[in-house]
């Protein structure tokens, strides 16, 4: 029997109009999610998702809950069609939607954590002129070495903070050090180094100053054992207890995203079909490079969602 992994996107997958087509099919979900979230956060998330403008939707205080909620709405649409995962994972922010899908967190609890996480990271961003970039065409070990050299050259922090797949490594740190890393990577044969918005020291050691406060919030939150196997993008392994998940979410602030290992672990658990649950196509593209034989399905638009539903319906005949 073909096993299915649901994977949930993170920051960078947002677009104006996301969730609109899913809500056209299930208008009840606007009340179930957006209106409650707007009452809790005081942000007009539904309008910003539907209408933008893009500059407001790209504000991290808006982006993160918006992507999270759009993923949950899409999850409910899929489950309404009887499509369920055999395992779940999420890319950075996407882990919170994955944990809701696995029954580990209530969605409102996850929403509060997403907001606090964003606020704490922003406090560091106010003090540190950070930057994030994607290095294309070099291996992870090479980029780790180049980061160490750029850090020594500048006396500033720059670290490899995301192993997204073959030939794609994310780096974060202080802007001066990221600029030095960019020059070094291009000299070493990188095909491109692309700055990522919003720039900031995401998943780097520069966030250690807020890790303690976030860990305290995690400890106060009611985590449950996963009802569906959950693979952490922090460890790249399956986590089976609430305590393990709390530690991983705390580590997530300062540890790299190990997406290659995450997808490899899911494949090793028997996942042959991956559904990107939420906006965008980023994860699907990465998965095709990590696991070329996998079947990948998107859900970000009505057409993509309908195609995914037909594929699952055909598989059950």
């Amino acid at each position: 029997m073909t096993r299915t992994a649901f994977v949930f996107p993170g920051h960078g997958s947002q677009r104006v109009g996301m969730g609109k087509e899913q809500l056209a099919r299930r208008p009840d979900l606007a009340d179930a999610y957006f209106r409650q979230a707007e009452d809790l956060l005081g942000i007009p998330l539904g309008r910003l998702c539907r209408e933008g403008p893009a500059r407001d939707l790209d504000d991290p205080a808006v982006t993160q809950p918006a992507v999270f909620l759009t993923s949950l709405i899409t999850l409910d649409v899929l489950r309404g069609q009887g499509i369920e995962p055999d395992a779940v994972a999420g890319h950075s922010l996407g882990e919170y939607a994955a944990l809701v899908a696995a029954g580990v967190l209530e969605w409102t609890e996850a929403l509060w954590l997403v907001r606090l996480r964003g606020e704490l990271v922003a406090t560091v961003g106010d003090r540190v002129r950070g930057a994030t970039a994607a290095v294309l065409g070099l291996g992870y070990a090479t980029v780790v070495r180049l980061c160490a050299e750029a850090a020594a050259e500048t006396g500033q922090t720059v670290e490899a903070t995301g192993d997204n797949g073959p030939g794609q490594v994310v780096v974060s740190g202080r802007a001066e050090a990221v600029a030095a890393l960019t020059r070094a990577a291009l000299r070493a044969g990188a095909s491109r180094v692309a700055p990522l918005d919003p720039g900031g020291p995401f998943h780097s050691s520069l966030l250690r100053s807020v890790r303690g406060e976030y860990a305290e919030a995690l400890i106060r939150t009611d985590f449950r054992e996963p009802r569906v196997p959950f693979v952490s993008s922090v460890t790249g392994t399956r986590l089976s207890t609430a305590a393990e998940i709390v530690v991983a979410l705390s580590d997530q602030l300062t540890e790299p995203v190990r997406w290659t290992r995450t997808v490899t672990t899911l494949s090793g658990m028997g996942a042959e079909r991956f559904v990107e649950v939420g906006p965008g196509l980023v994860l699907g593209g990465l998965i095709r490079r990590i696991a070329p034989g996998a079947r990948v399905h998107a859900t970000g638009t009505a057409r993509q969602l309908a195609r995914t539903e037909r594929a699952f319906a055909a598989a059950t005949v």
Side-chain angles (χ1 to χ4, degrees), residues 12 50 66 88 99 106 128 170 185 199 207-208 225 253 261 282 293 300 305 311 315:
R50 290 191 309 271
V88 298
L99 290 170
E106 294 293 334
V128 175
V170 175
L207 296 178
R208 283 178 184 155
E225 307 298 306
L253 286 176
R261 192 181 302 175
V282 173
L305 190 57

Side-chain angles (χ1 to χ4, degrees), residues 65-100:
V67 171
F68 168 74
L69 292 171
T70 302
S71 293
L72 293 188
I73 287 167
T74 308
L75 173 67
D76 273 19
V77 171
L78 289 169
R79 284 181 159 167
Q81 297 298 309
I83 303 172
E84 293 281 352
D86 297 301
V88 298
H91 190 285
S92 188
L93 165 70
E95 288 199 319
Y96 291 85
L99 290 170
V100 174

Side-chain angles (χ1 to χ4, degrees), residues 35-177:
R35 288 195 177 88
Q36 284 195 64
E38 289 168 357
D39 290 342
L40 289 169
L41 303 185
I43 302 171
L45 291 166
R47 177 178 59 78
L48 290 170
C49 285
R50 290 191 309 271
E51 304 169 11
R55 65 178 180 275
D56 291 343
L57 189 61
D58 289 342
D59 179 344
V62 175
T63 301
Q64 300 211 6
V67 171
F68 168 74
L69 292 171
T70 302
S71 293
L72 293 188
I73 287 167
T74 308
L75 173 67
D76 273 19
V77 171
L78 289 169
R79 284 181 159 167
Q81 297 298 309
I83 303 172
E84 293 281 352
D86 297 301
V88 298
H91 190 285
S92 188
L93 165 70
E95 288 199 319
Y96 291 85
L99 290 170
V100 174
V104 175
L105 286 171
E106 294 293 334
W107 78 268
T108 50
E109 295 171 330
L111 179 67
W112 277 115
L113 290 173
V114 166
R115 179 177 186 174
L116 176 61
R117 175 180 178 270
E119 289 174 343
L120 291 175
V121 170
T123 65
V124 176
D126 290 340
R127 301 193 306 269
V128 175
R129 191 167 74 89
T132 301
V135 180
L136 307 180
L138 294 179
Y140 187 75
T142 299
V143 175
V144 169
R145 175 178 58 80
L146 293 174
C147 282
E149 293 171 358
E153 172 193 334
T154 62
Q156 305 284 350
T157 298
V158 59
E159 297 163 355
T161 53
D163 178 8
N164 277 347
Q168 184 177 131
V169 182
V170 175
V171 299
S172 302
R174 290 185 179 268
E176 179 184 349

Side-chain angles (χ1 to χ4, degrees), residues 145-219:
R145 175 178 58 80
L146 293 174
C147 282
E149 293 171 358
E153 172 193 334
T154 62
Q156 305 284 350
T157 298
V158 59
E159 297 163 355
T161 53
D163 178 8
N164 277 347
Q168 184 177 131
V169 182
V170 175
V171 299
S172 302
R174 290 185 179 268
E176 179 184 349
V178 172
L181 178 280
T182 297
R183 294 189 294 271
L186 292 172
R187 288 195 300 269
S191 58
R192 185 183 174 205
V193 181
L196 301 179
D197 288 326
F202 303 108
H203 299 287
S204 79
S205 59
L206 292 171
L207 296 178
R208 283 178 184 155
S209 60
V210 298
R211 180 170 163 170
E213 183 176 347
Y214 193 61
E216 290 177 5
L218 291 170
I219 291 168

Side-chain angles (χ1 to χ4, degrees), residues 235-284:
T235 66
T237 62
R238 178 179 175 179
L239 302 183
S240 301
T241 69
E244 289 175 323
I245 292 168
V246 168
V247 171
L249 290 180
S250 177
D251 289 345
Q252 192 197 78
L253 286 176
T254 56
E255 292 292 320
V257 176
R258 295 176 172 88
W259 191 244
T260 298
R261 192 181 302 175
T262 299
V263 174
T264 300
T265 296
L266 288 166
S267 295
M269 292 165 58
E272 299 176 8
R273 185 162 48 193
F274 292 78
V275 181
E276 185 167 1
V277 184
L281 298 167
V282 173
L283 298 187

